[in-house]
Amino acid sequence: MMESQQILKSIDEKNVVILPFSLIHSNCELHLGLNVQKVASVVEVGDYSLLPGVSAPFLYMIKIQGIPVPVIEINQLNNLNELNNYQLKNCDKIKYVKKRIIICHVLTIYIGIVVDITKKIKTISNKELLPPPDIWENDKHFFVSAMINEKEKYRYIFDIEKYIASIGISIGNVAQDFKSNSDNIKVLKGKTGLVVEDSRVYQALAKQFFEKYEMHMELAKDGKQGLEMLLANAENYDFVISDIEMPNMNGIQMIKEFKSIKKVNTTPILFHSSISNPEFSKDLQEEGLGLFIHKFNEENLIKTILSFFK
């Protein structure tokens, strides 16, 4: 599996690292990419074990370093049957296809996706990440979290969390047991938190979490919007929860710029990410940027937020 330390070294407040890959249909290439934080490894298509009685998009099971990983097919994303001749002429012509499996790690879930082409990992400026058009913002079948303009084409950052949720897999939940949390609710009731998060799935989880503990949530979809909201209303927020990798501006850059302007602000900051690494957490605290937890773990999340008020 890809080491967390390798990924963490690639995190920079102004850059993002992606693994480009493609799906092919009628010799046309759909250009996609994954944030390397969500990539555990890339393997060749080889020996596999068929799954009993499991319907599409699941294909088979493979074993990676002792971990059983279900593999799914995402070719329906490349629905190019309706392309006209003009569009086909402008598609990239593909000379060869070498199928691989990208092993994705989302929270506690390992899942493989079959792709036709993988390319070298590349580092791009965070400013190059464009949010998808608003017209598709609520489309359940549009699995894109950001876009990159590559000359005359776009590369789409694949929203693996949204896709997994769309096929009925739960990647996180908020427990419904209120009785054991009555003391916590007393402490947190009426508190207001700013959530800076680009993933629709994690936005929904955060909404459930805030409602459970009777708190108010304001949402920013990326670091740029989060910075604007902080500069305008920081005194109204009891705490901030921010993802790290986001389009336009990531969470680390957002907090660095905020603290450089509001030097005396003491609003507690909590970063969460799919990476769990003690050294990274230590670095953030030593720089005075905030605390860090693995997302989305309700127990750790509530414990950390409660520590802000005790």
Side-chain angles (χ1 to χ4, degrees), residues 22-247:
S22 299
L23 301 177
I24 307 301
H25 179 82
S26 299
N27 285 331
C28 293
E29 180 177 359
L30 175 62
H31 307 278
L32 297 164
L34 266 173
N35 191 305
V36 293
Q37 289 190 44
K38 300 170 186 177
V39 178
S41 64
V42 180
V43 299
E44 304 290 340
V45 174
D47 294 336
Y48 56 84
S49 175
L50 291 174
L51 294 166
V54 178
S55 59
F58 292 93
L59 297 175
Y60 45 78
M61 187 81 74
I62 61 174
K63 184 170 69 173
I64 303 295
Q65 295 184 2
I67 300 173
V69 178
V71 177
I72 60 176
E73 184 72 73
I74 61 171
N75 264 342
Q76 66 267 32
L77 299 179
N78 201 6
N79 186 13
L80 302 180
N81 294 320
E82 302 299 323
L83 286 178
N84 57 40
N85 290 331
Y86 173 78
Q87 290 171 308
L88 285 171
K89 290 178 181 177
N90 285 277
C91 286
D92 289 349
K93 296 302 179 183
I94 305 304
K95 295 180 180 179
Y96 68 94
V97 170
K98 189 174 184 180
K99 287 184 177 292
R100 290 186 171 91
I101 301 171
I102 301 176
I103 309 299
C104 303
H105 189 197
V106 183
L107 296 185
T108 58
I109 297 172
Y110 284 97
I111 193 164
I113 58 174
V114 179
V115 303
D116 295 310
I117 295 174
T118 56
K119 299 180 180 179
K120 291 183 179 179
I121 288 175
K122 63 185 296 186
T123 301
I124 62 172
S125 167
N126 215 317
K127 294 180 180 179
E128 295 180 62
L129 283 180
L130 306 172
D134 292 341
I135 193 171
W136 288 307
E137 188 172 349
N138 297 314
D139 193 320
K140 295 180 180 179
H141 305 289
F142 188 65
F143 307 108
V144 173
S145 60
M147 307 186 304
I148 305 167
N149 190 354
E150 296 182 341
K151 295 182 180 179
E152 296 182 355
K153 65 179 183 291
Y154 281 101
R155 184 170 299 278
Y156 305 97
I157 305 303
F158 182 40
D159 191 338
I160 183 68
E161 294 96 343
K162 184 177 179 182
Y163 182 81
I164 290 176
S166 76
I167 60 176
I169 299 176
S170 174
I171 63 172
N173 58 31
V174 176
Q176 297 301 312
D177 182 9
F178 281 82
K179 293 181 181 179
S180 61
N181 294 292
S182 57
D183 291 338
N184 294 342
I185 292 176
K186 289 178 182 178
V187 174
L188 298 176
K189 184 176 181 179
K191 303 292 186 186
T192 299
L194 172 64
V195 175
V196 189
E197 173 63 64
D198 65 317
S199 168
R200 288 279 175 179
V201 174
Y202 293 126
Q203 288 174 10
L205 286 172
K207 184 175 184 292
Q208 294 174 30
F209 176 83
F210 273 72
E211 289 175 349
K212 174 178 177 177
Y213 293 97
E214 300 184 25
M215 297 184 291
H216 305 295
M217 182 184 90
E218 292 194 20
L219 175 67
K221 298 176 182 178
D222 56 45
K224 184 178 179 181
Q225 185 181 17
L227 179 61
E228 293 171 354
M229 294 174 70
L230 275 171
L231 292 176
N233 301 300
E235 65 279 1
N236 296 334
Y237 303 128
D238 295 296
F239 58 92
V240 177
I241 302 175
S242 178
D243 189 14
I244 292 179
E245 292 290 358
M246 295 176 287

